[in-house]
């Protein structure tokens, strides 16, 4: 996931992967004896290894294979992959987030899955498109969630006499009335690491009809008219006082704390934190996405996936493992121990009732970060330039022009 990015590790990606050989020794999958599966800690009881070993028993029996499950801690995740793949001791099947996938594609370490994906899977999975890059299917989404929602305090809206907004224009008008009523309209954690843009900026880009990168990942679109439009709107919220002008010094802990204390009307948060809203006594509501000037919608979701690495000697067996893990029955067991929504129609939906159809009904407006080789560092460049804009040091146009220039050089 985006927040797991470690700058120092990213700086070593090119060097380590350059030395990786295309089809390392890997496991003895050719004889159908053994597969190596790498996963992060995801289940609530922290018994991930035991969980997956139990879930995979039927698969092992059916295919006559031993699946060796390795749980890689988040704080060593990218390092473990880099050293494992470069030495030929990485996984046959592994879990990756978007920022990782792009770098491994660029070094030819992942197997495209197009010939393996079935028509039934295409019909079943809600977010299969998230696993594509350059029209090739490189991954199968496994964990999709954390949608960034515009969450509001209904009591504060009632006090100011405003309704929940559905458009940028309505949000601005609501903010003005809230401010006149002595209520802080909106805060965002612009003082956090660049991952804050998942909620504070990227949704507005998609609502403006923009994209962050060219489709082939060769360049950013940071200075495109649509991205400038989104940045200009955010800057206008700050200049008008609808967004607290001190946001560049605010962390997520501060902004969420203000919302839970009933001091602010709007924040961008995820449904996974709904329990805290309720426990704080907030009469809350949410909007999945505002509509931009042209009626477009969009918001961010985390979308982490299963990939097949080139050291897998039996691609069919490796894909059978991916297919088994993402079937409804296995996902139901996984979701009993993790706070994520279903990824397909074949799963019995036991997600909290008020959010049960949030993802399936809004799949077309939910966007993960795009898979872009060497794209990870460009987000930090964009974040730094937007910080300067919000501090009044640059105009939106200048900030995004500078961001595009520096980031595009990184991609080359």
């Amino acid at each position: 996931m985006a927040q797991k990015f470690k700058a120092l590790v990213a700086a070593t990606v090119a060097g380590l992967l350059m030395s990786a050989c295309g089809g390392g020794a890997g496991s003895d999958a050719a004889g159908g004896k053994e597969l190596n599966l790498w996963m992060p800690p995801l289940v609530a009881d922290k018994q991930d290894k035991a969980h997956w070993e139990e879930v995979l028993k039927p698969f092992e029996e059916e295919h006559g294979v031993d699946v060796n499950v390795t749980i890689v801690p988040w704080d060593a995740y990218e390092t473990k992959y880099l050293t494992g793949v470069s030495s030929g001791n990485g996984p046959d099947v592994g879990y990756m987030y978007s920022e990782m996938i792009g770098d491994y594609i660029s070094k030819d370490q992942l197997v495209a899955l197009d010939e393996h994906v079935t028509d039934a899977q295409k019909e079943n999975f809600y977010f299969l498109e998230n696993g594509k890059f350059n029209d090739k299917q490189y991954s199968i989404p496994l964990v999709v969630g954390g949608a960034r929602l515009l969450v509001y305090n209904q009591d504060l809206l009632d006090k100011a006499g405003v309704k929940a907004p559905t458009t940028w224009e309505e949000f601005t008008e609501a903010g003005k009335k809230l401010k006149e009523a002595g209520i802080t309209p909106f805060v965002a954690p612009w003082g956090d690491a660049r991952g804050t843009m998942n909620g504070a900026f990227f949704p507005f880009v998609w609502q403006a009809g923009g994209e962050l990168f060219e489709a082939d990942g060769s360049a950013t679109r940071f200075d495109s008219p649509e991205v400038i439009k989104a940045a200009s709107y955010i800057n206008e919220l700050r200049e008008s006082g609808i967004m607290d002008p001190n946001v560049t010094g605010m962390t997520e802990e501060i902004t969420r704390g203000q919302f839970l204390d009933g001091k602010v009307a709007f924040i961008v948060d995820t449904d996974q934190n709904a329990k805290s809203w309720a426990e704080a006594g907030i009469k809350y509501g949410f909007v999945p996405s505002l509509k931009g000037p042209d009626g477009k919608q969009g918001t961010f979701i985390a979308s982490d996936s299963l990939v097949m690495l080139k050291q897998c000697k039996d691609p069919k067996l490796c894909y059978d493992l991916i297919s088994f893990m993402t079937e409804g029955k296995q996902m139901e067991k996984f979701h009993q121990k993790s706070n994520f929504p279903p990824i397909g129609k074949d799963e019995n939906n036991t997600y909290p009732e008020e959010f049960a159809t949030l993802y399936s009904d809004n799949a077309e407006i939910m966007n993960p970060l795009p898979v872009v080789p060497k794209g990870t560092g460009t987000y930090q460049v964009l974040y730094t330039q937007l910080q300067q804009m919000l501090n009044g040091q640059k105009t939106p146009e200048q900030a995004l022009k500078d961001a595009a220039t520096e980031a595009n050089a990184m991609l080359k």
Side-chain angles (χ1 to χ4, degrees):
M1 295 181 184
Q3 61 267 33
K4 307 297 189 303
F5 166 69
K6 300 290 187 293
L8 180 59
V9 172
T12 67
V13 170
L16 282 171
L17 286 183
M18 188 67 74
S19 64
C21 49
S27 61
D28 190 14
K33 298 178 181 179
E34 186 176 275
L35 289 180
N36 290 323
L37 171 67
W38 284 12
M39 297 290 291
L42 293 169
V43 304
D45 60 8
K46 301 187 184 304
Q47 299 299 311
D48 292 82
K49 185 175 177 66
H51 168 78
W52 291 114
E53 287 178 343
E54 180 65 28
V55 166
L56 294 173
K57 281 182 180 179
F59 177 85
E60 292 177 311
E61 293 171 359
E62 178 182 351
H63 293 273
V65 61
D66 290 328
V67 179
N68 299 321
V69 180
T70 298
I71 305 301
V72 183
W74 282 121
D75 59 2
Y77 209 72
E78 293 187 18
T79 303
K80 176 77 170 179
Y81 262 91
L82 289 169
T83 55
V85 172
S86 64
S87 65
N89 294 312
D92 299 296
V93 173
Y95 178 106
M96 288 188 179
Y97 38 92
S98 297
E99 298 95 314
M100 291 178 67
I101 291 173
D103 287 321
Y104 284 84
I105 290 174
S106 71
K107 299 303 177 184
D108 195 28
Q109 295 295 325
L110 300 186
V111 177
L113 307 175
D114 301 81
E115 66 178 272
H116 302 287
V117 179
T118 66
D119 290 339
Q121 288 175 320
K122 292 176 183 178
E123 171 64 25
N124 178 57
F125 290 134
Y126 294 127
F127 300 99
L128 190 61
E129 289 293 312
N130 292 359
K132 288 187 174 181
F133 173 71
N134 262 0
D135 294 325
K136 287 187 177 182
Q137 191 82 44
Y138 279 100
S139 67
I140 303 297
L142 177 77
V143 168
V144 180
R148 297 320 194 255
L149 312 171
L150 182 65
V151 186
Y152 56 85
N153 183 322
Q154 185 64 61
D155 288 334
L156 294 183
L157 266 59
D158 290 343
K159 184 178 178 180
V162 300
K163 295 181 180 180
T166 61
T167 67
W168 283 12
E169 183 178 4
E170 290 177 1
F171 185 60
T172 297
E173 291 305 311
K176 290 177 180 177
K177 291 182 179 179
L178 285 160
K179 188 179 176 185
E180 290 170 0
I183 300 168
T184 300
F186 177 52
V187 291
W190 278 99
D192 262 342
R194 58 95 180 163
T196 190
M197 293 191 296
N198 293 344
F201 186 59
F202 296 153
F204 294 95
V205 170
W206 293 312
Q207 290 159 25
E211 296 293 342
L212 296 167
F213 296 89
E214 298 293 349
D216 62 359
S218 62
T220 73
R221 290 187 54 81
F222 292 169
D223 58 349
S224 66
E226 295 84 2
V227 179
I228 291 173
K229 185 184 296 183
S232 297
Y233 181 63
I234 294 293
N235 204 43
E236 289 167 9
L237 293 177
R238 179 193 64 84
E239 290 179 340
S240 65
I242 292 173
M243 183 169 71
D244 191 315
N246 298 311
V247 292
T248 53
M250 291 185 178
T251 64
E252 189 174 83
E253 182 180 1
I254 292 172
T255 56
R256 184 174 293 128
Q258 290 185 357
F259 183 76
L260 297 180
D261 289 341
K263 296 178 180 179
V264 63
F266 292 101
I267 61 166
V268 175
D269 206 351
T270 85
D271 54 295
Q272 292 171 316
N273 291 318
K275 183 179 179 181
S276 67
W277 313 334
E279 290 176 346
I282 304 296
K283 183 181 177 182
Y284 64 85
F286 65 89
V287 179
S289 168
L290 293 172
K291 294 179 181 178
D294 297 323
K296 295 183 179 179
Q297 293 179 282
T299 195
F300 169 85
I301 50 168
S303 184
D304 298 353
S305 307
L306 293 177
V307 299
M308 185 194 307
L309 287 98
K310 285 211 166 176
Q311 76 173 49
C312 172
K313 297 177 181 178
D314 187 340
K316 183 181 183 304
L317 182 62
C318 286
Y319 192 75
D320 285 345
L321 174 60
I322 292 173
S323 294
F324 182 83
M325 291 178 66
T326 53
E327 285 178 358
K329 291 182 180 179
Q330 283 66 253
M331 294 308 296
E332 285 178 18
K333 294 177 182 178
F334 173 55
H335 290 147
Q336 289 173 3
K337 295 184 177 182
S338 62
N339 189 25
F340 300 107
I343 61 170
K345 300 173 186 175
D346 62 342
E347 180 181 350
N348 180 36
N349 194 341
T350 58
Y351 207 56
E353 184 176 354
E354 64 183 318
F355 302 109
T357 60
L358 171 65
Y359 292 87
S360 57
D361 288 356
N362 296 281
E364 72 283 355
I365 68 169
M366 294 188 174
N367 303 284
L369 293 182
V371 173
V372 176
K374 299 186 289 184
T376 306
T378 65
Y379 295 116
Q380 181 62 45
V381 171
L382 178 61
Y383 172 70
T384 299
Q385 293 295 333
L386 289 173
Q387 276 269 21
Q388 293 182 33
M389 176 193 77
L390 291 170
N391 283 324
Q393 297 169 279
K394 293 183 178 181
T395 65
E397 292 80 4
Q398 187 61 54
L400 291 171
K401 179 181 179 182
D402 292 346
T405 299
E406 184 176 351
N408 288 342
M410 296 174 70
L411 293 178
K412 293 179 180 178

